[in-house]
Amino acid sequence: MADFFTDVSEPIRYEGPGTANPLAYRVYDPDRIVAGKRMEDHLRIAVCYWHSFNWPGSDIFGDGTFDRPWLGDVSDEMDAARQKMDAAFEFFSKLGTPYFCFHDRDIAPDGADYRETLSNLHAMVDYAAEKIERTGVKLLWGTANLFSHPRFAAGASTNPNPEAFAYAAAQVRHALDATHRLGGTSYVLWGGREGYETLLNTLMKREADQLARFLELVVEHKRKIGFDGQLFIEPKPQEPTKHQYDYDCATVHGFLERYDLLGELFVNIEVNHATLAGHSFHHEVKYAVENGIFGSVDANRGDPQNGWDTDQFPNSVEEMTLALHEIFGAGGFDRGGFNFDTKLRRQSMDRTDLFHGHIGGIDTLAKAFLVAMDLLEKETLTRARTDRYAGWKGDLGAYIMSTEASLASIADRVLEEGIDPQPVSGRQEALENLVNHAVWSESS
Ligand code: XLS
Ligand code: NI
Ligand code: NI
């Protein structure tokens, strides 16, 4: 088997902040112990198959630009799929990250009918099992592509045609089985086409019921096969649909509550989806953590200048630090991790650019992680927050929250005790400075 990444002969190593080597980690040090655990085990980094190995660098205006020999000759589709997997596992091993993730269609091509599609998938899952065994790279999550094929143009589970629902169910059943067989720790459902283009032809409530039924069936199947990983929904507000039902974390939370699915499904939060929804990534993470639905992260970033999913490699330590502060303040990941749902720019056509993108993103995450752990250890933000609400620990606060209180009795206390609230500073700038100081002074 020929090497595809010949510019990188050795696995990428930690060389520290002083190194001049562009193909080395400056901060990500897998074996470094932080709060009693290896950095690698805290961050659980995964490379994604689709953007890095499946996509030739095309966009809606132009053809592929990338140098990806494994995408070149597809006269034998299964042979091409094996070459792609060779390239992918060579990359995972050389990057030195512990996990990967995939869609069913990333690893195995569609056949002439579903029977052939399934036999392609089974063959490629066998091939992946050997690679996992040989390289030690593990599966973070699997998923099914229920958005590329024209049969899903009007949705997968939310399609007006029950046959599309059934087809999607078949794909998820087999992708979940494959994930289980490959030792995956979680499974993702991104509803790319689960939304609408126009309300003129849409029964919105009926589509929500179909989506809930679909999720119920997935949960049931997960139990039946004894998959003890977590199931994640990945919120996104729109693109490709005009409106996607899994708009953001709060919408997904309300949906899970309404259909009695809380505790069965969690969220995989993508940074760029958070910003598309008009939130910060920090907001989405905090909402999910505080409402018990946090699961995993699609680490990437958008471009503030445009409103679509550019999926760029993370490079803002500050943006990541604030979110990681919430994640690790609540104990970190269970079955999730940071997967790199990231795309190179179309002009970054060299194979080695894949290394540069991942190395920079991983170092950004590692740095943000160290800063967040430092802020948590010193209780910089946690103490400021607790202090701000300290009044609620007192007599009045406890009384208001008790069943003893009524609107009238509270009003009486205001009159009797001469309650006269005085505004206090929210100290936003002071806190922003403290976060910056931690970013600047963290010495890696
Ligand atoms: C698209 C999504 C997709 C999911 C996996 O915007 O991010 O890539 O992560 O289906
Ligand atoms: Ni995305
Ligand atoms: Ni994603």
Side-chain angles (χ1 to χ4, degrees), residues 157-175:
S157 71
T158 60
N159 203 295
N161 179 358
E163 289 189 354
F165 182 112
Y167 203 100
Q171 263 187 259
V172 171
R173 185 244 159 123
H174 294 117

Side-chain angles (χ1 to χ4, degrees), residues 121-137:
L121 181 71
H122 285 156
M124 289 311 297
V125 168
D126 288 344
Y127 198 62
E130 282 169 35
K131 297 267 180 198
I132 288 173
E133 175 78 30
R134 194 154 351 116
T135 59
V137 174

Side-chain angles (χ1 to χ4, degrees), residues 130-152:
E130 282 169 35
K131 297 267 180 198
I132 288 173
E133 175 78 30
R134 194 154 351 116
T135 59
V137 174
K138 294 163 286 184
L139 177 62
L140 187 67
W141 52 257
T143 187
N145 180 331
L146 308 179
F147 44 89
S148 295
H149 197 279
R151 69 174 67 89
F152 298 125

